[in-house]
Amino acid sequence: MSEKETVPVLRVALVGCGRVGIKHLNAILKANDSLSLCALVDSDKRAPSALLEKIRVNDRKAALLLSEVQIFPSLDALLLADTPDIVAITLPSGLHFETARKALLAGCHVLLEKPMTLRTSEAKELFELSETTGKHIAMGHIYRYLPIMEQLHNDFAAGKWGKISHGSVIVRWGHDQSYYDQAVWRGTWKLDGGALMNQSIHALDLMCYLMNTVPVSAVAQLGKRFRTLEAEDVGIAALRMENGALCLLEGTTATHPGDHEASFYINAEFGSIRVGLRRGLPFFDIIDNKGKKITSKYYRHELKNKGIKGLLASKNPHFLIYKDLNNAIRTGLYPIADAHSGYKSVESMLAVYQSAKERRQIEIPNNDDFSLEQMSGFFS
Ligand SMILES: NC(=O)c1ccc[n+]([C@@H]2O[C@H](COP(=O)([O-])OP(=O)(O)OC[C@H]3O[C@@H](n4cnc5c(N)ncnc54)[C@H](O)[C@@H]3O)[C@@H](O)[C@H]2O)c1
């Protein structure tokens, strides 16, 4: 490309201006050499301006960039007026399917928050639609974008860690009652689910990404112990993976909100890894099969490949998801957290719920097309 040629800036519409919206807005603004925000969509008239206010307090330059942004009450209204390059969907989870479907059919690429959908057949349909339309779906599976994860994924894929015996994934993402009380959709079977479907699905996805496999059976238990919501505030599942490894999943919001933890352990033939996030800080403890710590080897490799700037960027994984989607659109490669990962994670998590409901082991895939709404009445 000659020096004068510039890459066209992709126009993004943000659909949903709530709690996670600010992370998306900051990420889009940070990538202002390649992305521009063209529209904000929310059914609550006050939400777009409340979101913009959060930016304005901190960043006057951003306010200028946002002065051209159009506001719409629905995706339908936006699509009548415009066809953005990317539709970023940050709506309550039960609205993801219809919204993403409309955006893909209108010819837009999609950045879709997790979970992809609340029914397996809908996740599969979105995955297939993205294939047939040639439009990407990048999932909000932020953990895939933490430092070192891609390296570990590649090394496991290349067989450098040998056979895996088992892994365990823990999500202790405490929320107090005010979290569930702030919006009527939270914690409901119809639009959200509990600690597993909301807080733990991208952690299960990371485990599958690291292990390079997917669950083929699930047995699970759910509990509602401390919080008042329709769904679970704690869930535990035992999974058998396609490669023969076992995996334990613990997900809860019943812990202290000041002590968030998402941790991942894998024991393999040639070593073991403990990685994750605790109280906002990533941790890595990687040892070989002689018990020698080899974490620094991974750090050095990461630093060499991504530089300090790249490493620091992982503090804002949503920025990395946008960057990855942007790259996917320009190159035709799949994003790291692609549509297939969204589909498989929904399929696996719904098997966990189905197992708890039907008190039996569930095979994955199956033809049951279980939906989260079928959990209705589970705790009554
Ligand atoms: N990847 C992550 O780290 C992460 C973090 C938080 C939330 N999430 C996901 O993001 C999604 C949104 O979560 P949130 O916490 O921002 O929710 P929220 O309730 O704070 O925001 C949702 C917004 O959608 C709007 N809305 C609702 N129905 C609408 C409709 N039909 N049309 C237009 N607007 C509508 C609401 O008015 C609200 O402003 C959820 O799926 C959640 O699981 C992801």
Side-chain angles (χ1 to χ4, degrees), residues 156 163-168 211 265-269 271-273:
F156 274 107
K163 190 170 160 179
I164 298 170
S165 64
H166 69 288
S168 98
M211 285 183 165
Y265 172 75
I266 300 176
N267 186 54
E269 212 177 336
S272 62
I273 66 162

Side-chain angles (χ1 to χ4, degrees), residues 152 156 161 210 264-266 271-275 285-287:
L152 286 168
F156 274 107
W161 288 88
L210 292 175
F264 306 84
Y265 172 75
I266 300 176
S272 62
I273 66 162
R274 279 184 186 80
V275 294
D285 189 6
I286 306 175
I287 59 168

Side-chain angles (χ1 to χ4, degrees), residues 18-20 42-43 90-91 93 95-96 113-114 140 185-186:
R19 209 164 167 263
V20 78
D42 204 291
S43 54
T90 58
L91 295 175
S93 308
L95 305 178
H96 289 182
E113 267 303 349
K114 53 76 196 166
W185 69 276
R186 289 197 194 282

Side-chain angles (χ1 to χ4, degrees), residues 15-24 41-45 47-48 72-75 89-96 99 112-115 139-143 179 182-186 191-192 197-199 201-202 317-318 321:
V15 181
C17 301
R19 209 164 167 263
V20 78
I22 189 66
K23 293 191 176 165
H24 286 257
V41 177
D42 204 291
S43 54
D44 176 350
K45 261 196 215 154
F72 297 94
S74 67
L75 178 66
I89 300 168
T90 58
L91 295 175
S93 308
L95 305 178
H96 289 182
T99 317
L112 181 54
E113 267 303 349
K114 53 76 196 166
M139 289 301 309
H141 289 168
I142 50 174
Y143 296 133
Y179 166 83
Q182 67 187 304
V184 287
W185 69 276
R186 289 197 194 282
L191 293 169
D192 187 13
M197 188 55 98
N198 186 322
Q199 281 74 24
I201 191 159
H202 43 341
H318 280 93
I321 299 179

Side-chain angles (χ1 to χ4, degrees), residues 101 104-105 124-134:
R101 191 169 169 276
L104 289 170
L105 289 173
K124 186 163 184 252
E125 189 176 331
L126 288 186
F127 160 62
E128 288 172 352
L129 203 53
S130 121
E131 293 287 302
T132 51
T133 57

Side-chain angles (χ1 to χ4, degrees), residues 174-241:
H175 281 300
D176 54 25
Q177 192 56 41
S178 63
Y179 166 83
Y180 286 109
D181 294 344
Q182 67 187 304
V184 287
W185 69 276
R186 289 197 194 282
T188 61
W189 293 121
K190 191 176 162 59
L191 293 169
D192 187 13
L196 291 180
M197 188 55 98
N198 186 322
Q199 281 74 24
S200 311
I201 191 159
H202 43 341
L204 177 59
D205 166 71
L206 178 67
M207 207 58 175
C208 296
Y209 178 63
L210 292 175
M211 285 183 165
N212 287 275
T213 190
V214 287
V216 288
S217 71
V219 281
Q221 295 281 348
L222 303 181
K224 183 159 65 170
R225 306 296 297 160
F226 293 172
R227 311 289 179 244
T228 303
L229 69 163
E230 199 184 4
E232 80 289 354
D233 65 3
V234 57
I236 291 185
L239 307 162
R240 182 174 291 280
M241 311 302 270

Side-chain angles (χ1 to χ4, degrees), residues 7-303:
V7 180
V9 168
L10 300 175
R11 299 165 65 251
V12 188
L14 181 59
V15 181
C17 301
R19 209 164 167 263
V20 78
I22 189 66
K23 293 191 176 165
H24 286 257
L25 191 49
N26 281 332
I28 297 162
L29 293 175
K30 192 167 165 123
N32 64 24
D33 55 337
S34 53
L35 299 177
S36 74
L37 185 76
C38 62
L40 289 174
V41 177
D42 204 291
S43 54
D44 176 350
K45 261 196 215 154
R46 294 156 305 172
S49 48
L51 187 63
L52 292 176
E53 280 310 314
K54 288 185 191 162
I55 291 283
R56 290 204 172 117
V57 172
N58 304 322
D59 190 342
R60 290 188 180 279
K61 200 170 137 216
L64 277 175
L65 288 169
L66 291 167
S67 55
E68 302 286 301
V69 171
Q70 297 212 69
I71 311 281
F72 297 94
S74 67
L75 178 66
D76 289 339
L78 160 71
L79 292 175
L80 279 177
D82 196 0
T83 309
D85 298 299
I86 299 172
V87 170
I89 300 168
T90 58
L91 295 175
S93 308
L95 305 178
H96 289 182
F97 169 64
E98 270 306 330
T99 317
R101 191 169 169 276
K102 276 183 193 164
L104 289 170
L105 289 173
C108 309
H109 299 281
V110 169
L111 196 162
L112 181 54
E113 267 303 349
K114 53 76 196 166
M116 183 181 233
T117 66
L118 302 180
R119 177 188 278 277
T120 303
S121 60
E122 293 179 348
K124 186 163 184 252
E125 189 176 331
L126 288 186
F127 160 62
E128 288 172 352
L129 203 53
S130 121
E131 293 287 302
T132 51
T133 57
K135 297 293 165 188
H136 288 290
I137 300 177
M139 289 301 309
H141 289 168
I142 50 174
Y143 296 133
R144 287 193 181 213
Y145 295 85
L146 291 174
I148 300 183
M149 299 305 160
E150 196 178 356
Q151 264 192 78
L152 286 168
H153 160 79
N154 289 338
D155 284 355
F156 274 107
K160 290 187 186 168
W161 288 88
K163 190 170 160 179
I164 298 170
S165 64
H166 69 288
S168 98
V169 48
I170 291 172
V171 181
R172 295 176 184 144
W173 215 261
H175 281 300
D176 54 25
Q177 192 56 41
S178 63
Y179 166 83
Y180 286 109
D181 294 344
Q182 67 187 304
V184 287
W185 69 276
R186 289 197 194 282
T188 61
W189 293 121
K190 191 176 162 59
L191 293 169
D192 187 13
L196 291 180
M197 188 55 98
N198 186 322
Q199 281 74 24
S200 311
I201 191 159
H202 43 341
L204 177 59
D205 166 71
L206 178 67
M207 207 58 175
C208 296
Y209 178 63
L210 292 175
M211 285 183 165
N212 287 275
T213 190
V214 287
V216 288
S217 71
V219 281
Q221 295 281 348
L222 303 181
K224 183 159 65 170
R225 306 296 297 160
F226 293 172
R227 311 289 179 244
T228 303
L229 69 163
E230 199 184 4
E232 80 289 354
D233 65 3
V234 57
I236 291 185
L239 307 162
R240 182 174 291 280
M241 311 302 270
E242 199 171 29
N243 64 1
L246 303 183
C247 179
L248 195 67
L249 166 69
E250 171 196 328
T252 184
T253 50
T255 47
H256 194 279
D259 188 16
H260 285 170
E261 171 185 355
S263 54
F264 306 84
Y265 172 75
I266 300 176
N267 186 54
E269 212 177 336
F270 304 132
S272 62
I273 66 162
R274 279 184 186 80
V275 294
L277 276 174
R278 178 124 192 242
R279 297 185 181 206
L281 295 176
F283 64 85
F284 305 93
D285 189 6
I286 306 175
I287 59 168
D288 67 14
N289 56 349
K290 295 187 187 81
K292 190 178 156 213
K293 231 178 153 154
I294 53 169
T295 315
S296 55
K297 191 181 107 187
Y298 276 89
Y299 268 129
R300 280 199 302 276
H301 192 268
E302 196 81 353
L303 201 58

